[in-house]
Amino acid sequence: MTEIWGWTASETVAAIAARKVSAREVAQSALARLDAVNPRLNAVVQTMPEQALAAADAVDAALARGEAPGLLAGVPVTIKVNVDQAGFATTNGLRAQAGHRATEDNPVVANLKKAGAVIIGRTNTPAFSVRWFCSNLIHGATYNPLGRHITPGGSSGGAGAATAAGIGAIGHGTDIGGSVRYPAYVCGIHGLRPTLGRIPVWNPSLPERDIGPQLMSVSGPLARSVADVRLGLHAMSLPDHRDPWYVPVPHEGPELPRRAALCVAPEGMKVDPAVEKALREAASRLKDGGWLVEEVDALPPLREPARLQGMLWMELLHRGVMAAVEQENEPASLAVYQHLAKLTPPPADLAELQDALTARAGFVRQWMQFFTRYPVVLLPVCGELPFDNEEDTNGFDRFRELLEAQLTQVGLPFIGVPALAITTGMVGDRPVGVQLAGPRYREDVLLAAGEAITGGGAIPAIDPNWS
C-alpha cells in the first residue's frame, strides 16, 4: 500500500474530502519524507514545517466548518526559490540575495495557498536560473534521485528532483528555455510550460523584468501524473490581475480534431536513436487512443526563434547582468553566460532589437496556422538522453552541442505556446520522454494527448538509493 506521502494530488484531495485522513496527517507524512530523502538530494533548500502544519490545520478547520477549502486542499507542494514567498528569501541561487526577504507572495504562490495547497519547502535553482543543471554557491548542488551522475535538470532542478522523489505531489517551476520541461524529462516525471499569460506571476520585491523575460518566462507544474499536472495548472492559474500578461481564458476549449503531427528531428537537429524510438512509440500510443498521427518532415521555424531568444537574453548583459554574474563569481554560470555571448551576440543597436521583437509576430502566426491542421505536435524534449551532471562545464564545444540538443526547449518559449514534457520510460539508467506542443491556451488538448500516451497512470516516487 502506498504511503500517504506517495499519493497523487488527486488521491490526496479525495481522501481528505472524505475524511479518510486529515490534512495534518498528510503534511506530517510529507515532511517526514522530506527529512528522509532530501539530505541525499538537496532539492529543498528552505524548509517551513511550522507553516506547513498551520496551513494543513487551516484546511482541516475549513472542512470542519463545511467550507470548500480549494482545488488542492491539503496537497503538499514545493515552490522554486526564484519567486517571492512572504517571509522567505527569493535567492534565485545567488549569494548576493541571501539576505533578501519577500514581504508579499508572488501571484502563483498566492494562488496555490488560495487553492488550499500546503507548501512544505522551497526548491533549488542554479545561480541566475540559467542552466540545465542545478548548483550554486549559496545552496549547493541538487542531485537527481535516479543517480548523482545524471543532471536533475534546470533551472527547476530542485522541483524536478523533489517531485520525482515524493517530496510533495506537485512542484512549482519556471520555464524560459526548458526550465520546467527539462527537469521533468531527466527526472522521469511530467512538466507543463503553459501559455504566456495563463498563470499570473510577478515578484513584488524585485525590479520589473525586461521585455524578453516578460515575453518568454512562465511558471508551471511538475508532477508524477498528468492528472496532477492538470490540477496544478488549474490551481496556479486562478485570477490575479497584478500580472498584466494574465488572460482569464477557460481551461477547456472547443472540440478540436484529434490529429497530431510527429516531427522526429525539427530543422535537422541531431536526435539520439533512443529518443526517436520514444517518439515513435508515443505516436503509436496516440494512434491506439484514437488519434490520427501524421509524420511531417518540417515544422514552422524553431532555429531562428531560438537565436532571437538568445539575443534578447544577451541584451541584458550590458545592462548590469554581466556585472552581477561577475560579482557572484559562480564558475558554471559565468562560463555559461560567456558561451552564450559568444554564440548569440547581443543586438548591435536599437533597430536590431526592435527587428527581433517585430519578427516574433510572424513566427507566432506561422505556428498558429500550423496548429489549425495539427492541434498537437509531437517532437523531442531534447535530442539527447539526459546529460551527465554538470556536463555544461566541459568547455565551449560541448556547451554548443548541448544547446543544439535543446533546440526545442529554447525555440518554443519565443513563440509563447504551451508545451508538455511526458516521460515514457527508461533507457538503461536514464529516463526518456517526448514533448507535446499546441495552440495558445489549449493546454487541455496537450493534457488529453499526454494521458493517451501514458494511459493516465501515476509514476511511483523514486527512492534515491544510490551510493
Side-chain angles (χ1 to χ4, degrees):
M1 186 177 189
T2 304
E3 294 190 54
I4 293 174
W5 57 259
W7 291 352
T8 66
S10 307
E11 291 169 335
T12 301
V13 169
I16 291 174
R19 306 296 182 90
K20 294 180 180 178
V21 67
S22 69
R24 171 171 270 263
E25 288 173 305
V26 172
Q28 289 172 329
S29 179
L31 291 168
R33 178 63 174 177
L34 189 159
D35 289 342
V37 301
N38 193 59
R40 308 203 82 190
L41 303 175
N42 192 38
V44 175
V45 294
Q46 296 173 345
T47 58
M48 50 202 70
E50 297 85 2
Q51 293 92 331
L53 292 173
D57 290 343
V59 169
D60 287 332
L63 284 168
R65 293 191 299 269
E67 299 172 2
L71 290 170
L72 292 178
V75 174
V77 304
T78 58
I79 302 293
K80 189 175 176 181
V81 292
N82 66 349
V83 303
D84 280 356
Q85 182 177 344
F88 294 90
T90 311
T91 67
N92 201 22
L94 303 175
R95 291 179 299 179
Q97 293 181 198
H100 174 283
R101 288 294 180 277
T103 59
E104 185 179 349
D105 287 335
N106 185 298
V108 71
V109 175
N111 279 347
L112 285 167
K113 289 181 177 179
K114 287 177 194 173
V118 174
I119 301 171
I120 60 173
R122 289 168 61 80
T123 53
N124 205 12
T125 187
F128 299 96
S129 295
V130 298
R131 300 169 61 214
W132 295 303
F133 305 83
C134 196
S135 61
N136 55 62
L137 296 177
I138 179 175
H139 302 305
T142 293
Y143 296 104
N144 192 321
L146 289 165
R148 289 170 65 102
H149 60 296
I150 307 169
T151 177
S155 63
S156 307
T163 307
I167 303 174
I170 296 172
H172 158 264
T174 63
D175 189 313
I176 194 171
S179 291
V180 164
R181 293 163 290 154
Y182 192 64
Y185 176 71
V186 301
C187 291
I189 56 175
H190 314 304
L192 174 68
R193 175 198 160 82
T195 311
L196 173 67
R198 169 65 82 180
I199 293 175
V201 293
W202 173 56
N203 276 335
S205 71
L206 296 172
E208 204 75 71
R209 302 188 79 180
D210 281 64
I211 187 62
Q214 283 190 40
L215 285 171
M216 296 179 292
S217 181
V218 299
S219 282
L222 298 95
R224 298 188 303 277
S225 76
V226 177
D228 280 5
V229 172
R230 179 184 289 107
L231 199 55
L233 170 68
H234 290 192
M236 290 179 183
S237 58
L238 295 172
D240 193 317
H241 295 281
R242 291 180 293 168
D243 181 355
W245 293 99
Y246 172 69
V247 183
V249 181
H251 283 291
E252 300 295 326
E255 194 73 25
L256 291 174
R258 291 161 69 89
R259 186 186 302 122
L262 166 65
C263 189
V264 171
E267 295 200 55
M269 67 181 286
K270 184 179 178 181
V271 175
D272 188 286
V275 173
E276 178 175 353
K277 182 181 179 184
L279 286 164
R280 297 196 180 281
E281 289 177 348
S284 178
R285 292 175 197 168
L286 274 178
K287 290 177 183 177
D288 291 343
W291 289 70
L292 174 65
V293 182
E294 298 179 7
E295 185 165 359
V296 299
D297 294 327
L299 298 174
L302 281 172
R303 197 170 293 282
E304 182 63 4
R307 186 186 73 82
L308 295 176
Q309 137 97 290
M311 177 190 289
L312 289 173
W313 264 109
M314 294 303 99
E315 191 270 337
L316 302 176
L317 294 188
H318 68 272
R319 301 184 63 201
V321 171
M322 198 64 198
V325 174
E326 290 170 349
Q327 180 180 1
E328 187 70 17
N329 200 28
E330 196 276 319
S333 59
L334 181 58
V336 164
Y337 268 113
Q338 290 170 340
H339 295 332
L340 287 172
K342 187 175 179 180
L343 288 166
T344 53
D349 52 27
L350 181 60
E352 189 175 4
L353 176 61
Q354 183 170 327
D355 288 346
L357 293 170
T358 301
R360 181 177 180 272
F363 293 124
V364 173
R365 184 177 300 111
Q366 291 180 65
W367 275 93
M368 291 304 102
Q369 290 174 327
F370 190 84
F371 287 137
T372 62
R373 176 164 178 77
Y374 299 106
V376 169
V377 174
L378 178 60
L379 70 170
V381 182
C382 176
E384 299 185 16
L385 291 173
F387 306 141
D388 286 345
N389 206 8
E390 300 293 312
E391 197 168 356
D392 62 343
T393 62
N394 291 342
F396 175 74
D397 289 340
R398 181 53 181 151
F399 179 82
R400 182 165 50 187
E401 292 173 352
L402 300 183
L403 187 61
E404 169 63 15
Q406 299 283 55
L407 174 63
T408 64
Q409 300 284 292
V410 182
L412 287 172
F414 190 76
I415 312 300
V417 298
L420 175 66
I422 292 289
T423 192
T424 59
M426 299 289 292
V427 178
D429 64 352
R430 302 191 188 221
V432 70
V434 300
Q435 183 170 200
L436 304 168
R440 289 177 296 178
Y441 306 107
R442 294 311 305 266
E443 292 87 358
D444 58 324
V445 178
L446 301 186
L447 293 165
E451 286 178 325
I453 291 170
T454 63
I459 301 155
I462 302 163
D463 282 318
N465 293 323
W466 28 259
S467 59

